[in-house]
Amino acid sequence: MAHEHKLEIFRGALKFKSNVSKIWGVFILLSIVTIIEVALGILRPEALIGNKFLAMNLLNWIFILLTIVKAYYITWDFMHMRDETVGLRRAVVWTGVFLIAYIIVLILIEGDYIYEVYKNGFIKFNF
């Protein structure tokens, strides 16, 4: 019994006639996102570099969001995650979310410690 793959993207807004045309459609979408990333990286608009949100340039936030979009479509369509059971999808996604959140917390804690050491010099604790 052959397993049929879903032939739409954007939650059904764009439908394809075959798997080959869907692969090309997702490829074109990912290429457009990549071209936007590269163009922004080369041009580096002052409006996006000068303005900050949560202590990071808006350009960096755009790169992060576009990278998440690409990772989503690569996993969802090319790796056929949409055709798997709900339990497997949740296990894969939530594991990644928790690991990424854990790494971000560790990086922020260590970064704050290093910042304080450079700012105030090394402080030896008196036990």
Side-chain angles (χ1 to χ4, degrees):
M1 181 172 159
H3 181 72
E4 292 295 321
H5 297 290
K6 297 175 182 154
L7 298 175
E8 67 268 347
I9 60 174
F10 299 125
R11 298 191 180 260
L14 186 60
K15 296 182 182 182
F16 298 98
K17 294 179 181 177
S18 68
N19 282 332
V20 174
S21 63
K22 180 183 174 190
I23 289 170
W24 280 106
V26 174
F27 172 74
I28 290 169
L29 170 72
L30 294 174
S31 297
I32 291 170
V33 172
T34 303
I35 289 168
I36 292 170
E37 283 181 329
V38 170
L40 287 174
I42 291 171
L43 298 175
R44 296 177 50 91
E46 187 60 38
L48 297 176
I49 293 174
N51 296 322
K52 292 188 182 279
F53 178 72
L54 295 177
M56 197 163 48
N57 295 335
L58 290 178
L59 184 62
N60 289 346
W61 283 111
I62 290 172
F63 285 149
I64 290 170
L65 291 174
L66 291 177
T67 302
I68 290 171
V69 167
K70 287 194 314 187
Y72 171 79
Y73 274 103
I74 288 169
T75 306
W76 199 247
D77 285 315
F78 284 139
M79 298 173 72
H80 306 291
M81 189 59 72
R82 85 168 57 220
D83 299 323
E84 298 297 339
T85 62
V86 174
L88 178 63
R89 287 193 308 233
R90 287 182 182 160
V92 169
V93 170
W94 285 112
T95 302
V97 167
F98 287 128
L99 286 175
I100 290 170
Y102 178 68
I103 289 172
I104 288 171
V105 167
L106 286 178
I107 288 171
L108 290 173
I109 290 170
E110 292 296 322
D112 184 56
Y113 170 76
I114 292 171
Y115 172 77
E116 290 296 326
V117 167
Y118 280 131
K119 180 180 171 190
N120 301 325
F122 180 70
I123 300 171
K124 187 175 183 180
F125 288 106
N126 187 6
F127 293 102

